[in-house]
Amino acid sequence: MSRPVLVWRPTTESPATPGFASLEASLLTADRLSQQIAGSLTRLGGASTAIESAIKPISGSTQTYSNISKHVDATVEELEVLRSYQSVFEEEEPRIRRGNLTVVECLQSIDRLNKTIKALEGSVLKSDQQVIVKMSQLKIAAVANIRERFTKLLASASNSDGDSFDPLIADETVENLSTMVDFFMVTDNSVAVPVYSEIRSKYIGSHLTKLSAAAARTDIKRVNGFYKKGSTPFKEFVESLAITIVSEDKNAKGVFKSKSDAQSANSSTLRDLEKLFQSTTQAINVFVRKNLITDCLVAFDVLEMIHRSAGEILLAVEQPPFNLEGAASKELRKTAQDALFEMLRYTESQVSAMPQLPADFKVLDITKQVTLWIGRLAEYDMTLASLMIPLGAPVNWQIKLAFHSTFSSAPVTSSSSGPKSYMGSEIVVLFISELIDDLLVNIEIKARAQYKKVTRVGLQVIANLLHLERGLRQSSELIGLLSAGGGFDRIDKIRKRALNMFLEGWKVCASHLMDVTVVRSNSTTSSGKTGAMSSRDREAVKEKFRGFNTDFEDLVTKFKEYAFADAELRAYLAREVSFISPLYNRFYEKYKSGEFSKHTEKYIKYSKTQLDATLASLAN
């Protein structure tokens, strides 16, 4: 390495300046030293290069050995970590495989496995990947174990003991199932809902399908040929259906904390019930349609059961799976409405089809049938109201009866007064009254065509009316219903009409007893004069007694000739004709003194006692 050469340059001083020679000598000496130092440095640089060339290979090897050592240490450390991860697997595998961990313990084990897998996911070592595979398989086994326990517990809670059926799962079981569902939420959320729905739907469907089949067979009980309320197997079916819907809603909400999962599980579990319900009601509808007259009561009862069960569901369940009173029962409601009209048409046709009315005034079979109908209709008053109100009752009832309003006791409503609003019970009474009118007025029409005298017409109507009214008054429900709704008032109108026809001859007979003449001496006559009876008055009284005696004896004879099939009818009519007794007694008291004739025995054939005895004999 060269150093810079110091060059002396002369100054402007004179050579003759003192000390100049010595300074120059010093400079020369320094220059020589510098040159010597530069040479030494050059030689030293060469030696350094040689040393570096000798040492460099040794230094590189040392660095390589250092790196190898670091890699070895890292590998050893990685192996230690792998060994620790392997120990996690070795610890958890026997615990999980035994299958006796609690759900919480199992969840903790899976959590350890998940953390280990996550730590190993970035490793490129084959051994690490193998550990990941083993741990993943172990997780699957743990989930499968809890799933199996979930399935068994749910199946145990969904197992009928004989014919018993209780869809409500016990609280303790619900709590255990809910804990497992929480486990699945963390491990595999696709497990719980399908498993739950499959097991519960099979359990519920198996039981309700049997009940549906029994309901569809319509094995009903009858009393006097008519359906007995509450005897249809449909009752057990619809009650079990309602209990199931309410119970499953509670079950699902208890097992699944997630609202969407609870709704999904409930919906999947009950998805087939609407079809089952609809097929059941359709089978009943077909059964009723075959004979609306005798089996319409089945439709009324079934609709009432549906309404009651639907109400129970709506009170307990926020979102029912389907509406029991919706489309599923629409056809049955239509059939029940048709049955109401069919009753009226059938009644009219049965009376019209008779060749003649019975001579002994026997109660008609159709009257007995209508009486039973009405008694049973009262048991379904609210159901009937719900059926009739949508029809626009009573204005738009579309009932085409032969008599219309010619003979009917139905009140005439002025169109100017506008439509009247009817309560449920009122509208039922209107229908019952229409049915009674339909029966009795058609009997009257039939009797008028058969008899010349209205007496027998009235007798036929009264005979059937008495039987019907006796039947109505045997039911406390009907008494309350008809009394409150004016039903008995309409019956009274029909009775008065029939009695007027029957009593027509008796009223003519009683007209002979109508008298305003005062017959006592010194009394004022009808002309306002005092004194004894005139000959004209005496003749009038004689004629009245003669006319009364003739008509009375004729009426008594005819009455006794009637062949009454019903003893109560005879007694009833005997009481009705006894109105003549007080009239005769008053007339008899006026003229028994004999002022109108010296031979009163020719005119007064009955004393008060004799007349009353004759009237009393009519009842026997």
Side-chain angles (χ1 to χ4, degrees):
M1 180 175 179
S2 62
R3 299 277 295 179
V5 179
L6 297 176
V7 181
W8 176 82
R9 295 185 186 278
T11 65
T12 57
E13 293 181 348
S14 170
T17 302
F20 179 79
S22 60
L23 177 62
E24 183 177 10
S26 296
L27 292 172
L28 289 172
T29 300
D31 183 54
R32 285 195 299 273
L33 288 172
S34 297
Q35 290 177 357
Q36 290 174 357
I37 291 170
S40 297
L41 290 174
T42 300
R43 291 192 297 274
L44 181 61
S48 297
T49 301
I51 292 170
E52 182 181 0
S53 299
I55 292 174
K56 190 172 183 180
I58 298 172
S59 175
S61 298
T62 301
Q63 183 66 37
T64 300
Y65 293 144
S66 177
N67 290 338
I68 292 172
S69 177
K70 289 180 181 179
H71 286 309
V72 169
D73 291 342
T75 303
V76 171
E77 184 179 351
E78 184 74 18
L79 290 173
E80 289 297 328
V81 172
L82 178 60
R83 189 177 294 111
S84 68
Y85 291 151
Q86 182 69 27
S87 68
V88 171
F89 174 78
E90 291 172 353
E91 289 173 6
E92 296 299 338
E93 183 181 32
R95 298 175 73 236
I96 292 175
R97 297 295 184 190
R98 281 195 299 268
N100 59 353
L101 295 179
T102 66
V103 175
V104 174
E105 290 172 339
C106 191
L107 192 60
Q108 291 172 346
S109 294
I110 289 179
D111 185 55
R112 290 188 68 194
L113 293 173
N114 282 335
K115 289 179 179 178
T116 304
I117 291 172
K118 186 175 182 181
L120 293 175
E121 282 179 347
S123 174
V124 295
L125 297 178
K126 279 188 176 181
S127 57
D128 287 356
Q129 297 304 314
Q130 290 172 354
V131 171
I132 290 175
V133 171
K134 289 181 179 180
M135 288 186 174
S136 298
Q137 292 173 343
L138 192 57
K139 279 175 52 182
I140 294 173
V143 173
N145 176 262
I146 300 300
R147 173 174 179 165
E148 182 180 1
R149 287 157 65 179
F150 181 80
T151 302
K152 287 182 178 179
L153 182 59
L154 189 60
S156 177
S158 308
N159 183 30
S160 296
D161 184 12
D163 294 330
S164 65
F165 175 71
D166 184 5
L168 189 62
I169 302 175
D171 291 342
E172 182 180 356
T173 304
V174 167
E175 185 177 352
N176 290 334
L177 291 171
S178 181
T179 302
M180 295 182 195
V181 169
D182 291 341
F183 171 86
F184 293 130
M185 290 284 288
V186 177
T187 57
D188 186 357
N189 197 30
S190 65
V191 173
V193 171
V195 172
Y196 179 92
S197 301
E198 181 182 2
I199 293 174
R200 294 300 293 172
S201 61
K202 285 182 179 179
Y203 169 61
I204 291 167
S206 175
H207 180 75
L208 290 179
T209 299
K210 293 178 183 178
L211 296 181
S212 170
R217 288 196 299 270
T218 58
D219 297 330
I220 60 176
K221 295 181 181 179
R222 300 181 186 273
V223 177
N224 297 324
F226 285 89
Y227 164 76
K228 181 181 178 181
K229 186 175 183 179
S231 67
T232 173
F234 182 83
K235 180 180 181 181
E236 185 178 0
F237 168 72
V238 74
E239 288 177 352
S240 293
L241 177 65
I243 291 172
T244 296
I245 291 174
V246 173
S247 298
E248 276 306 307
D249 182 74
K250 183 178 180 181
N251 292 339
K253 288 178 179 177
V255 172
F256 298 92
K257 298 298 188 295
S258 166
K259 186 176 181 180
S260 61
D261 284 348
Q263 290 177 345
S264 177
N266 198 34
S267 176
S268 299
T269 300
L270 305 178
R271 65 181 177 273
D272 294 330
L273 293 190
E274 183 173 10
K275 292 181 180 178
L276 185 64
F277 177 77
Q278 188 168 6
S279 65
T280 307
T281 55
Q282 285 177 344
I284 294 173
N285 185 61
V286 171
F287 172 78
V288 174
R289 276 283 178 191
K290 290 180 179 178
N291 198 337
L292 283 176
I293 297 304
T294 59
D295 296 325
C296 60
L297 297 175
V298 177
F300 300 153
D301 203 19
V302 167
L303 289 172
E304 188 171 279
M305 293 173 185
I306 291 173
H307 178 71
R308 182 168 54 249
S309 295
E312 293 172 357
I313 293 171
L314 290 174
L315 287 175
V317 179
E318 184 179 354
Q319 292 182 325
F322 64 96
N323 182 9
L324 269 65
E325 294 188 286
S329 59
K330 184 177 180 180
E331 291 184 10
L332 190 62
R333 288 182 63 83
K334 178 63 169 59
T335 295
Q337 289 172 330
D338 291 346
L340 298 175
F341 296 122
E342 186 62 25
M343 285 182 186
L344 296 164
R345 287 189 288 265
Y346 179 80
T347 300
E348 182 179 356
S349 66
Q350 287 297 298
V351 177
S352 301
M354 294 179 64
Q356 61 179 9
L357 297 170
D360 58 357
F361 311 106
K362 183 179 180 181
V363 177
L364 304 182
D365 289 340
I366 183 60
T367 300
K368 296 176 182 178
Q369 192 168 7
V370 168
T371 303
L372 291 172
W373 273 345
I374 295 174
R376 298 300 175 82
L377 290 177
E379 298 175 352
Y380 308 103
D381 55 339
M382 291 298 101
T383 299
L384 290 175
S386 71
L387 292 170
M388 287 187 280
I389 289 175
L391 298 175
V395 178
N396 300 324
W397 262 349
Q398 301 180 356
I399 301 173
K400 303 300 182 183
L401 303 176
F403 59 88
H404 293 286
S405 61
T406 304
F407 304 106
S408 176
S409 65
V412 178
T413 303
S414 173
S415 59
S416 61
S417 63
K420 180 184 182 301
S421 296
Y422 291 90
M423 301 295 288
S425 59
E426 289 180 325
I427 206 168
V428 174
V429 172
L430 283 174
F431 177 76
I432 291 175
S433 298
E434 288 289 338
L435 192 55
I436 293 172
D437 274 3
D438 189 21
L439 170 68
L440 298 178
V441 175
N442 273 286
I443 291 175
E444 179 181 340
I445 293 172
K446 187 74 174 181
R448 284 182 179 275
Q450 184 171 333
Y451 303 117
K452 294 181 180 180
K453 293 185 177 182
V454 296
T455 301
R456 286 183 174 270
V457 175
L459 275 174
Q460 291 288 358
V461 175
I462 292 170
N464 289 275
L465 174 60
L466 288 179
H467 175 86
L468 189 147
E469 191 171 9
R470 281 197 300 268
L472 300 183
R473 293 191 181 278
Q474 288 177 358
S475 167
S476 58
E477 292 178 343
L478 269 174
I479 290 174
L481 190 66
L482 294 174
S483 297
F488 283 123
D489 291 339
R490 288 183 65 172
I491 291 174
D492 286 339
K493 290 180 181 180
I494 298 176
R495 182 191 297 103
K496 288 177 181 178
R497 178 182 177 81
L499 281 174
N500 282 334
M501 288 186 283
F502 169 71
L503 295 175
E504 185 178 78
W506 291 91
K507 289 180 178 180
V508 172
C509 178
S511 67
H512 296 298
L513 305 176
M514 300 296 106
D515 173 51
V516 294
T517 303
V518 178
V519 297
R520 291 185 181 277
S521 301
N522 301 321
S523 63
T524 303
T525 64
S526 59
S527 62
K529 298 179 181 180
T530 61
M533 294 180 63
S534 67
S535 59
R536 195 171 95 177
D537 289 338
R538 287 195 293 271
E539 286 300 318
V541 172
K542 292 176 183 178
E543 186 59 34
K544 286 180 181 294
F545 271 112
R546 279 196 293 267
F548 173 79
N549 293 335
T550 300
D551 289 348
F552 182 74
E553 289 172 356
D554 182 55
L555 289 169
V556 168
T557 299
K558 289 180 178 178
F559 192 98
K560 291 184 176 182
E561 288 176 352
Y562 291 141
F564 291 110
D566 185 358
E568 286 191 42
L569 174 62
R570 177 185 290 276
Y572 172 80
L573 295 174
R575 288 194 301 272
E576 290 297 324
V577 301
S578 65
F579 79 94
I580 208 165
S581 175
L583 297 177
Y584 181 81
N585 290 343
R586 182 187 62 81
F587 193 78
Y588 174 82
E589 286 294 333
K590 286 183 178 182
Y591 299 111
K592 69 178 181 177
S593 63
E595 292 184 36
F596 71 95
S597 174
K598 294 180 181 180
H599 305 285
T600 56
E601 71 280 359
K602 292 174 56 179
Y603 306 101
I604 303 177
K605 290 191 174 183
Y606 300 94
S607 66
K608 291 193 297 183
T609 303
Q610 289 173 328
L611 184 95
D612 289 342
T614 302
L615 291 173
S617 68
L618 299 179
N620 302 320

